Amino acid sequence: MKVVGITTQQEVYVGSKDRNFRINEFLIISDPYQGDLMGEIVEAKTYNKYIPLSIHGELADSSVIESLKALGYNIEEDTIYIGKIRLLNEALYPVETGCDVRIPTFDEVKDIMINSPADEGLILGVIKNTDQMAKDMDEEYKNLLYTFEEGELKKQRDIPYIFNIRSMHQYPHIGVFGGSGSGKSFGLRVVLEELMKLNIPTIVLDPHFEMDFSQRGDYMPKEEEIDYRDKFKCLQVGFHVGVRFEDLSPQDLKNLLDASSPLTDAMNNVVDILFKRNDSYNSFYNRLKMLAEAQEEGSLDRIQLRIDSADSNLEREGWLKRKELFLTYDKTCPYNSVRGIIWRLNRLYNEGIFSKDIREIEDGLNMGKLIVIQGNTRILQVFSTYLLNNLYHRRRDYKDALYKKTTAEYFPPFIVVTDEAHNFAPKGYDSPSKSILKEISQEGRKYGTFLILATQRPTLLDETITAQLNTKFIFRTVRASDIQTIQEETDITVEEARRLPYLRTGDVFISEALMGRTIFARIRAAHTTSPHTENPFDELKNISKAEDEKFMQIIKNKLPINGDDFINVIKEIERDTGITYTVNIFEDKLEDLVTKGLIKKEKTPFFNIYKEI
Amino acid sequence: MYTIANELKDKIVYLNKVLSEKYSQVLSLDEMFLREFIEENVGPIRKVNKLTEEELAYYYQKGGILGVDGSRNRVGGAYPHFVEIYQGLAKSTIYKDKPIYKADFYSPLYDEKGEFPIEDSIEEEESIRNRKLSTIEIEAALEGIRQLKPYAVIMDGSLIRYDIESFTRWMELRRECEEKDIILVGVIKDIKTSIIGELLKEDKELNIEECFHDRELLYGMLEYGEMISIHGEVTKKAKEGFSSLFMRSSKAPTVIGMDLLDSQKKYLEEMARLVLTLTPEDGRGVPLWIDIVDSEVKISDKMIRGLLESYLDRQILEMLFISERDKRTL
Ligand SMILES: Nc1ncnc2c1ncn2[C@@H]1O[C@H](COP(=O)(O)OP(=O)(O)O)[C@@H](O)[C@H]1O
Ligand SMILES: [Mg+2]
């Protein structure tokens, strides 16, 4: 390998007759005057004077090339390989043309590849095209992981990519970008596995119900199985966790209602006026309801009529109460706004949000667990607003108290992780969850609260937050607008941006403030798998198979079944199992088993006989 | 500006008119008729196939193919202040690391053996230059067959040209090929003959006054892979001792020519198949091997300038070979 052509202080071309170059490969240029210069291949090309453009711009077709080969001339041997190297540090002078280029040793690249001990960082994958340097790597960094490529589990051959989690203190927050199917969720899973390994308290908002870690990836060897079951907890909003209504501040309540469906100014006003400290769900709801009923009557006279004509004391008292509410609030709380609040409150209630609390989440974090909060996107928006405000302020209060030397209950630092982050912090309009995420993005570093935000639409993510993400994982991205956003928000080069649409699933550019350059990596094979990675068509097949087996069990000891005897067999089955079939359906099902070859059918002049095979 | 453009346009319209008139006869010749005429008077039209893998393997065993080509570069101004540089190359498909290069030069300022014509007849002068180029190609070919012992030699251009331009060395090459049974074949990209044209003109019944070129008549007439092997009597008119054919060797509608020694006539079709095999279907009809040799024998003018600047005294270079025009760009 030699430097060829015109060189500059930043870039040189390197040529070789027998060795192809790989993008992101590191090489050392031995400049006789400036010493060793390290660089990275940013473009790789092969060149053959005769193919494909032969000499006059025409394509030498493969049959001609093959014929020449048969005659002893292998045109491919005239191929030369050319790589463009970008120097990591600008040289003082343009590099000497003609000087030698060699592969670095591990020690020479260690500092630019690895910045964390293996047991303290997140082991996320391998740095691609580093196998040659990995040969003399310290044992500490060997055999840390597998990759999964083209349907095959592969042993680690490259230098590992280890994310220095401690550096988040200085460079907080991570963004994970990439189009659908590019490997974001899989990458997040690996990040979460590593966080669990280090017992870092983590909240995961999981709109896809996919972040469960109890199932081993079926490609992983059994002996590599890691049991995460006591390191995480999946909690569903409204089922396991919720909001304690009594703990809500007026602002909390307004956020919740707003997240459920946007509030008008008048509705905000209604909450301010009608919501009282220490209200329970019922006391608040009743106040709203009775006011609305009074307003429905339309006038004081009519309410008075209700009071006068009440059948019972209880009813009279009820209407007296309504009258009072009407007199106090009718002017300031228009009927429509009151109804609007009732409707929203009802909706939240029906989702079970008010039936539980967040105790279990707090306990989990305190024990260094990973807490997965599941629910559909909308309910997560509602709940996370409340939850994150709550947890973040607990942490902040604790730290502030330490600073002011007063006392407050301990609350640990934690990480917030979410997929589809653009739903929680959208660009261009306000949403309750956005303000808390924005606050964490700007101030969280001080308190040890960090964000990991994944989205397939970085363009739709709030730009203030995007600007705070100091590390970015960029997977395959095809959409031009997103590529442009990524280019603006990271230090990836033009060449790298051009490669974005072509990245393989699981390959990723990592732009890390700490490293000051972009690393090309492959995410390792996750130890665990999402509970619903089953192909939907396999699912259909499996279901019908299970159905068949069930039916076989039922009829097995009834075989052979005569066609004139269906009624009696059906009755027996009903008695044994409680399952009823009509004659038609029963016959269809038997025929179905015949076509599937599970039983056989014999014809007689009068009826068919279904028999065991 | 406008008037000039207009005048130019008129001239071109006029050119189109005369050309259409002149070629209306060719263009209106019925293709079936022409094919029949050729079959009857020129030679049979046949479709040939590419060589098979086994045949190619046999060629390889027998020494592969030697490609021969030459190049010329001229530096300087008008007569006699210029130098022309010739390079010949013979390259075997088997011994890719043993290219055989030959070089020579010509300048009217230097009389090798007093062979220059006294009166500066342009034709004579040009024939010397052609002879030099042909000779150097023949020499490369000779050394190639001696060292590399190929099965066949493909020369870029007509064999007849060597016979005319460098007779003695040509006879030497010819003899050696015949003795060693090495097939010698010339491939002509731009055929300049009028073999069919002459015959058409001679046929009094047809009443064609013009003598058309073969490339005009054959344009688009043959199918891909079709060849016309030209009758001995017809070729003889041009030059004795050669056998020739026309072939459409690619999808392009143009036709190439090939010639072989008369004594090796039996290889005519085989060589046509070899050339067809080595020619890219979507190309201009030239075998890739010839294109490869051609690109390696070519020297850029810049390189020649560099050579002269390095090895000629500055004074001599400027005094003799740098034309006024070149100086401007210096
Ligand atoms: N690093 C990886 N190694 C092996 N397979 C991967 C990797 N990343 C993703 N995959 C596979 O590709 C598919 C899509 O990945 P996923 O993470 O769901 O994409 P996204 O979340 O970006 O839409 C999944 O089936 C997953 O198994
Ligand atoms: Mg996903």
Side-chain angles (χ1 to χ4, degrees):
Chain A
M1 290 182 281
K2 282 202 184 304
V3 172
V4 296
I6 295 175
T7 69
T8 67
Q9 285 147 267
Q10 297 84 24
E11 280 176 358
V12 306
Y13 286 92
V14 54
S16 166
K17 277 208 141 194
D18 42 39
R19 177 188 189 284
N20 212 337
F21 296 98
R22 291 180 295 175
I23 259 175
N24 296 106
E25 179 175 33
F26 279 79
L27 293 172
I28 286 186
I29 301 161
S30 309
D31 185 297
Y33 307 106
Q34 307 184 75
D36 285 354
L37 304 167
M38 172 102 61
E40 187 179 2
I41 295 279
V42 292
E43 261 178 42
K45 290 178 178 154
T46 65
Y47 170 70
N48 186 303
K49 327 189 241 192
Y50 306 127
I51 20 179
L53 286 176
S54 94
I55 301 108
H56 298 274
E58 61 199 38
L59 221 67
D61 51 84
S62 54
S63 100
V64 171
I65 290 171
E66 284 307 311
S67 306
L68 271 180
K69 205 184 264 179
L71 288 172
Y73 180 76
N74 187 352
I75 210 167
E76 278 138 34
E77 281 167 15
D78 274 327
T79 299
I80 50 175
Y81 303 98
I82 298 172
K84 179 165 152 192
I85 298 187
R86 169 137 337 125
L87 298 183
L88 287 198
N89 300 305
E90 196 179 62
L92 283 175
Y93 312 100
V95 176
E96 251 331 83
T97 297
C99 62
D100 284 323
V101 178
R102 66 176 169 83
I103 295 160
T105 63
F106 177 71
D107 282 335
E108 286 172 312
V109 293
K110 183 172 174 183
D111 287 347
I112 56 170
M113 300 273 175
I114 292 189
N115 56 38
S116 170
D119 53 0
E120 281 183 22
L122 312 185
I123 301 168
L124 299 183
V126 293
I127 303 179
K128 293 198 61 146
N129 301 333
T130 53
D131 47 341
Q132 285 158 319
M133 297 171 282
K135 291 204 181 84
D136 55 346
M137 182 162 69
D138 310 348
E139 286 304 315
E140 181 193 356
Y141 299 114
K142 286 186 177 161
N143 298 320
L144 293 174
L145 54 90
Y146 291 89
T147 55
F148 189 64
E149 303 176 51
E150 277 116 30
E152 238 179 89
L153 197 67
K154 302 217 161 112
K155 281 219 165 94
Q156 176 194 343
R157 284 171 47 231
D158 292 290
I159 297 177
Y161 173 75
I162 305 175
F163 178 74
N164 184 340
I165 186 91
R166 304 177 57 85
S167 74
M168 277 186 105
H169 181 56
Q170 207 182 345
Y171 300 108
H173 314 310
I174 299 175
V176 180
F177 304 147
S180 161
S182 61
K184 281 184 314 304
S185 301
F186 195 94
L188 272 186
R189 169 171 296 276
V190 170
V191 169
L192 298 179
E193 285 176 358
E194 292 293 312
L195 290 173
M196 285 190 276
K197 180 189 81 183
L198 299 177
N199 299 314
I200 294 171
T202 304
I203 289 280
V204 183
L205 305 179
D206 178 20
H208 298 145
F209 293 80
E210 62 186 357
M211 289 306 173
D212 188 298
F213 303 88
S214 32
Q215 214 169 308
R216 175 172 53 95
D218 49 13
Y219 46 77
M220 283 305 272
K222 273 229 168 51
E223 61 279 12
E224 299 285 335
E225 177 154 13
I226 299 182
D227 192 352
Y228 291 103
R229 269 172 302 181
D230 57 354
K231 301 239 176 198
F232 81 98
K233 222 171 209 179
C234 280
L235 302 171
Q236 282 174 25
V237 181
F239 194 70
H240 303 106
V241 290
V243 171
R244 227 175 78 88
F245 197 87
E246 287 78 0
D247 293 342
L248 287 176
S249 69
Q251 190 54 46
D252 284 341
L253 180 61
K254 280 192 280 185
N255 285 346
L256 283 175
L257 294 166
D258 186 43
S260 165
S261 170
L263 293 183
T264 61
D265 285 348
M267 291 183 202
N268 264 311
N269 206 31
V270 168
V271 176
D272 283 332
I273 292 166
L274 291 182
F275 180 67
K276 310 284 181 213
R277 213 140 193 54
N278 294 327
D279 252 346
S280 68
Y281 172 79
N282 279 331
S283 61
F284 181 54
Y285 183 76
N286 281 337
R287 191 173 305 124
L288 286 163
K289 190 100 174 68
M290 288 171 96
L291 174 59
E293 280 160 3
Q295 287 170 326
E296 273 156 24
E297 288 304 313
S299 68
L300 259 184
D301 291 348
R302 299 191 51 151
I303 299 174
Q304 193 58 46
L305 201 68
R306 287 281 198 170
I307 296 172
D308 296 341
S309 62
D311 289 337
S312 69
N313 242 357
L314 201 65
E315 198 187 328
R316 181 160 50 247
E317 263 168 42
W319 280 105
L320 277 169
K321 180 88 190 145
R322 288 184 180 94
K323 179 180 168 189
E324 188 195 323
L325 287 169
F326 186 80
L327 286 170
T328 331
Y329 299 120
D330 181 50
K331 293 270 161 357
T332 47
C333 301
Y335 173 69
N336 282 335
S337 307
V338 175
R339 295 264 12 140
I341 295 293
I342 291 175
W343 184 80
R344 283 165 178 72
L345 199 62
N346 246 325
R347 189 167 174 198
L348 292 176
Y349 182 81
N350 289 335
E351 284 165 342
I353 284 211
F354 299 126
S355 62
K356 290 281 181 308
D357 58 23
I358 59 170
R359 198 70 245 159
E360 207 171 345
I361 299 175
E362 293 167 340
D363 291 347
L365 291 182
N366 266 315
M367 290 188 288
K369 286 196 187 187
L370 180 109
I371 306 296
V372 181
I373 316 278
Q374 298 181 321
N376 66 39
T377 302
R378 201 190 58 76
I379 207 165
L380 276 183
Q381 281 168 347
V382 177
F383 182 68
S384 66
T385 307
Y386 167 78
L387 176 71
L388 295 182
N389 265 304
N390 215 291
L391 300 179
Y392 178 61
H393 292 130
R394 294 274 304 275
R395 173 66 187 167
R396 198 174 71 184
D397 292 347
Y398 166 71
K399 288 293 274 188
D400 286 346
L402 274 190
Y403 181 67
K404 291 185 215 137
K405 300 205 162 51
T406 58
T407 53
E409 201 184 336
Y410 174 74
F411 199 78
F414 62 96
I415 295 179
V416 179
V417 183
T418 176
D419 208 343
E420 312 296 356
H422 59 276
N423 287 330
F424 295 94
K427 169 156 48 189
Y429 56 95
D430 268 331
S431 97
S433 48
K434 176 158 121 179
S435 47
I436 179 63
L437 287 174
K438 206 165 180 170
E439 187 176 346
I440 297 177
S441 78
Q442 289 169 322
E443 307 252 293
R445 191 177 78 85
K446 280 197 294 202
Y447 302 110
T449 307
F450 304 106
L451 300 173
I452 300 180
L453 303 180
T455 173
Q456 46 176 312
R457 298 305 320 276
T459 311
L460 303 183
L461 186 64
D462 179 79
E463 57 269 59
T464 326
I465 295 180
T466 310
Q468 299 294 329
L469 306 171
N470 277 281
T471 299
K472 278 142 187 140
F473 287 72
I474 305 150
F475 290 90
R476 180 176 58 243
T477 304
V478 178
R479 210 186 287 257
S481 61
D482 289 332
I483 294 178
Q484 196 184 342
T485 305
I486 288 165
Q487 265 184 300
E488 284 161 11
E489 296 295 337
T490 66
D491 55 5
I492 70 166
T493 61
V494 184
E495 290 96 347
E496 285 158 347
R498 243 186 263 135
R499 287 164 57 199
L500 279 179
Y502 309 104
L503 292 189
R504 286 196 304 160
T505 297
D507 284 358
V508 62
F509 286 118
I510 303 172
S511 156
E512 212 182 323
L514 175 66
M515 298 295 248
R517 65 184 187 85
T518 304
I519 290 173
F520 186 44
R522 175 163 191 84
I523 298 296
R524 68 163 168 79
H527 300 129
T528 59
T529 184
S530 145
H532 50 68
T533 42
E534 192 178 19
N535 182 317
F537 299 101
D538 285 342
E539 181 186 317
L540 284 176
K541 213 166 91 195
N542 288 342
I543 281 189
S544 81
K545 214 166 139 203
E547 286 278 302
D548 290 345
E549 269 162 27
K550 203 169 123 201
F551 189 64
M552 267 303 277
Q553 281 308 317
I554 291 172
I555 59 160
K556 204 160 187 169
N557 55 2
K558 311 275 184 259
L559 293 174
I561 298 172
N562 291 347
D564 64 346
D565 198 25
F566 282 162
I567 289 289
N568 289 323
V569 178
I570 288 172
K571 272 187 188 152
E572 269 177 49
I573 291 174
E574 194 173 41
R575 197 186 56 224
D576 296 348
T577 65
I579 300 171
T580 318
Y581 298 98
T582 66
V583 174
N584 283 341
I585 287 182
F586 190 70
E587 187 171 3
D588 280 354
K589 284 195 155 266
L590 287 176
E591 285 293 327
D592 190 38
L593 292 185
V594 173
T595 40
K596 283 176 179 158
L598 296 169
I599 56 176
K600 63 182 177 184
K601 176 167 87 172
E602 248 169 47
K603 287 186 179 155
T604 73
F606 310 105
F607 46 74
N608 298 323
I609 303 176
Y610 298 88
K611 285 187 166 172
E612 231 167 323
I613 285 181
Chain B
M1 184 63 202
Y2 176 71
T3 47
I4 293 175
N6 249 355
E7 200 182 326
L8 195 54
K9 193 196 83 187
D10 291 344
K11 291 277 181 209
I12 292 169
V13 169
Y14 173 73
L15 176 67
N16 184 50
K17 186 167 152 265
V18 293
L19 287 182
S20 333
E21 272 166 21
K22 175 175 171 189
Y23 284 97
S24 64
Q25 263 181 315
V26 185
L27 294 168
S28 65
L29 270 182
D30 180 54
E31 194 176 296
M32 284 314 291
F33 164 77
L34 194 55
R35 283 178 74 100
E36 269 166 32
F37 181 87
I38 288 169
E39 295 250 23
E40 229 164 84
N41 302 289
V42 184
I45 300 179
R46 240 171 313 159
K47 169 129 176 72
V48 296
N49 292 319
K50 294 185 181 182
L51 294 174
T52 62
E53 255 171 68
E54 293 80 54
E55 286 168 310
L56 287 166
Y58 174 77
Y59 280 26
Y60 176 78
Q61 251 180 12
K62 288 284 179 176
I65 306 297
L66 191 72
V68 179
D69 197 2
S71 73
R72 68 165 103 195
N73 296 67
R74 180 179 168 133
V75 183
Y79 184 89
H81 292 120
F82 69 86
V83 56
E84 202 163 74
I85 293 182
Y86 311 96
Q87 188 170 241
L89 168 65
K91 186 177 161 94
S92 156
T93 53
I94 295 183
Y95 307 100
K96 71 179 275 204
D97 300 328
K98 281 194 213 154
I100 292 163
Y101 283 101
K102 293 279 165 190
D104 200 356
F105 73 90
Y106 166 77
S107 171
L109 299 174
Y110 163 72
D111 182 346
E112 253 171 296
K113 303 167 195 151
E115 59 190 341
F116 288 4
I118 317 297
E119 72 281 22
D120 311 335
S121 131
I122 304 253
E123 282 102 89
E124 294 257 350
E125 204 246 325
E126 186 172 326
S127 89
I128 294 173
R129 294 194 280 123
N130 287 343
R131 189 192 74 224
K132 291 236 169 204
L133 181 60
S134 291
T135 307
I136 213 137
E137 289 176 25
I138 296 170
E139 280 174 1
L142 266 171
E143 198 170 322
I145 59 174
R146 285 171 192 159
Q147 286 188 16
L148 309 174
K149 305 189 172 41
Y151 176 72
V153 181
I154 303 182
M155 316 266 304
D156 182 24
S158 163
L159 297 184
I160 298 176
R161 186 185 112 219
Y162 300 109
D163 183 300
I164 297 172
E165 291 173 351
S166 182
F167 186 73
T168 25
R169 300 307 311 265
W170 162 248
M171 288 313 282
E172 199 179 328
L173 176 64
R174 175 176 183 143
R175 226 181 0 260
E176 253 187 84
C177 284
E178 282 170 342
E179 271 165 24
K180 296 182 174 158
D181 204 11
I182 295 172
I183 310 168
L184 195 54
V185 44
V187 173
I188 308 118
K189 310 176 240 220
D190 289 311
I191 48 176
K192 301 202 175 71
T193 52
S194 308
I195 297 174
I196 306 170
E198 299 259 9
L199 291 171
L200 283 170
K201 192 178 161 200
E202 274 167 26
D203 194 326
K204 292 288 170 268
E205 278 171 37
L206 291 175
N207 209 357
I208 296 175
E209 285 116 58
E210 292 276 352
C211 176
F212 293 107
H213 286 101
D214 293 330
R215 66 175 282 166
E216 296 154 7
L217 293 165
L218 291 174
Y219 186 87
M221 215 219 37
L222 294 179
E223 297 285 315
Y224 173 52
E226 270 184 341
M227 64 172 252
I228 307 169
S229 46
I230 305 168
H231 285 316
E233 317 86 68
V234 183
T235 350
K236 246 174 241 152
K237 284 194 192 162
K239 187 85 195 167
E240 208 130 346
F242 296 93
S243 287
S244 317
L245 63 88
F246 294 124
M247 177 172 63
R248 177 164 172 189
S249 54
S250 75
K251 294 270 167 74
T254 47
V255 163
I256 62 161
M258 289 172 58
D259 47 18
L260 275 80
L261 301 176
D262 233 358
S263 55
Q264 299 182 331
K265 186 155 81 187
K266 60 176 172 189
Y267 298 114
L268 208 60
E269 184 167 330
E270 190 187 322
M271 286 300 109
R273 293 176 61 210
L274 172 66
V275 166
L276 184 68
T277 310
L278 293 183
T279 304
E281 235 176 81
D282 299 314
R284 301 139 30 253
V286 180
L288 184 63
W289 189 239
I290 285 296
D291 263 347
I292 289 177
V293 176
D294 174 68
S295 84
E296 294 200 352
V297 73
K298 256 197 196 115
I299 318 174
S300 71
D301 284 342
K302 220 165 129 191
M303 174 109 125
I304 294 279
R305 268 300 270 271
L307 275 171
L308 294 180
E309 276 167 19
S310 309
Y311 298 109
L312 281 182
D313 287 346
R314 188 83 201 157
Q315 212 185 351
I316 292 188
L317 179 71
E318 294 211 356
M319 181 174 74
L320 299 178
F321 296 125
I322 297 194
S323 66
E324 280 312 309
R325 207 173 90 214
D326 288 348
K327 271 180 199 154
R328 262 179 275 152
T329 60
L330 267 184

